[in-house]
């Protein structure tokens, strides 16, 4: 069986070219993107949060799976890379781009919970984890990637990953599955 995605978002080619031009190397891998699109499709009228827009490749995958009534909020610290995403995807009325620190955004957000939270940056994963998990609706999904060694990991980061995985596995309010696939994923569903 070949697990290479066959349906790619139309904007992906342009986003990849712009990521190369910008020297951005942390975009979501295609298999992760395909999973994101599938999880978004499973949530009609879904509320989706992406922490770490980057140049928008994950955003494009999420939008490709969402129905017309779903909405996506995507948060990015670096306005330069997020500008690429906004330029390519900003005409879609389902997406709201937030430029700023994801941790600060998590601390200040006071809206309704989300059906899907994709934490693709440090805030919501290695910092502000409890707050990100609070924002997952009952029956909702929390997804993290890049749990296998990645370019640019700081010294000793593998221990941080192991602590994070152990902390998530111990939670009684989420059912977790580790996926030794793509860039290394963990998916957790909030129990009712």
């Amino acid at each position: 069986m070949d697990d290479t995605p066959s349906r790619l978002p139309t904007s992906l080619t342009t986003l990849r070219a712009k990521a190369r031009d910008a020297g951005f190397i942390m975009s979501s891998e295609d298999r992760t993107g395909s999973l994101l699109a599938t999880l978004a499709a499973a949530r009609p009228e879904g509320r989706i949060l992406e922490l770490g827009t980057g140049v928008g490749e994950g955003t494009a995958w999420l939008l490709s799976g969402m129905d017309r009534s779903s909405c996506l909020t995507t948060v990015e610290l670096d306005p330069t890379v997020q500008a690429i995403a906004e330029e390519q995807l900003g005409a879609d009325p389902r997406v709201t781009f937030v430029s700023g620190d994801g941790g600060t955004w998590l601390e200040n957000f006071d809206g309704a919970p989300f059906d899907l939270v994709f934490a693709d940056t440090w805030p919501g994963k290695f910092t502000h984890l409890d707050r990100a998990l609070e924002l997952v609706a009952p029956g909702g999904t929390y997804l993290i990637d890049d749990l296998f060694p990645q370019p640019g990991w700081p010294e000793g980061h593998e221990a941080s990953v192991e602590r994070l995985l152990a902390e998530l596995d111990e939670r009684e309010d989420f059912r977790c599955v580790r996926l030794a696939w793509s860039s290394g994923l963990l998916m957790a569903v909030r129990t009712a």
Side-chain angles (χ1 to χ4, degrees):
M1 177 176 74
D2 181 3
D3 66 353
T4 305
S6 58
R7 294 173 61 184
L8 304 176
T10 57
S11 58
L12 216 51
T13 301
T14 301
L15 289 169
R16 287 186 175 150
K18 291 190 177 283
R20 274 191 306 278
D21 292 346
F24 186 81
I25 60 168
M26 293 303 295
S27 292
S28 295
E29 197 267 342
D30 281 352
R31 289 174 296 168
T32 300
S34 183
L35 178 60
L36 287 170
T38 302
L39 292 171
R43 295 296 182 163
E45 299 181 13
R47 291 180 39 79
I48 300 171
L49 172 63
E50 177 185 38
L51 298 166
T53 312
V55 297
E57 290 186 43
T59 309
W61 281 104
L62 287 163
L63 288 168
S64 76
M66 290 166 46
D67 69 9
R68 290 183 180 157
S69 299
S70 294
C71 62
L72 168 63
T73 300
T74 183
V75 183
E76 173 60 46
L77 177 63
D78 183 343
T80 303
V81 295
Q82 191 180 51
I84 295 168
E86 199 161 359
E87 172 189 308
Q88 297 301 311
L89 305 169
D92 191 321
R94 300 173 299 166
V95 63
T96 300
F97 291 93
V98 177
S99 183
D101 180 78
T104 302
W105 186 89
L106 285 166
E107 291 168 4
N108 295 324
F109 180 74
D110 65 352
F114 295 91
D115 300 301
L116 171 60
V117 173
F118 175 45
D120 192 20
T121 189
W122 288 64
K125 191 185 324 185
F126 296 105
T127 69
H128 302 85
L129 175 64
D130 287 337
R131 179 63 180 141
L133 294 174
E134 286 173 13
L135 294 179
V136 178
T141 302
Y142 170 80
L143 182 71
I144 53 177
D145 66 347
D146 300 334
L147 299 173
F148 291 151
Q150 302 292 312
W153 267 17
E155 184 76 28
H157 187 60
E158 288 181 39
S160 298
V161 170
E162 288 305 317
R163 278 192 302 276
L164 171 65
L165 294 173
E167 183 176 345
L168 287 164
D169 283 341
E170 291 172 5
R171 292 191 67 111
E172 302 263 334
D173 53 342
F174 281 85
R175 180 71 182 212
C176 297
V177 61
R178 295 180 187 193
L179 303 168
W181 172 78
S182 187
S183 64
L185 308 171
L186 180 135
M187 185 169 61
V189 174
R190 183 185 272 292
T191 55

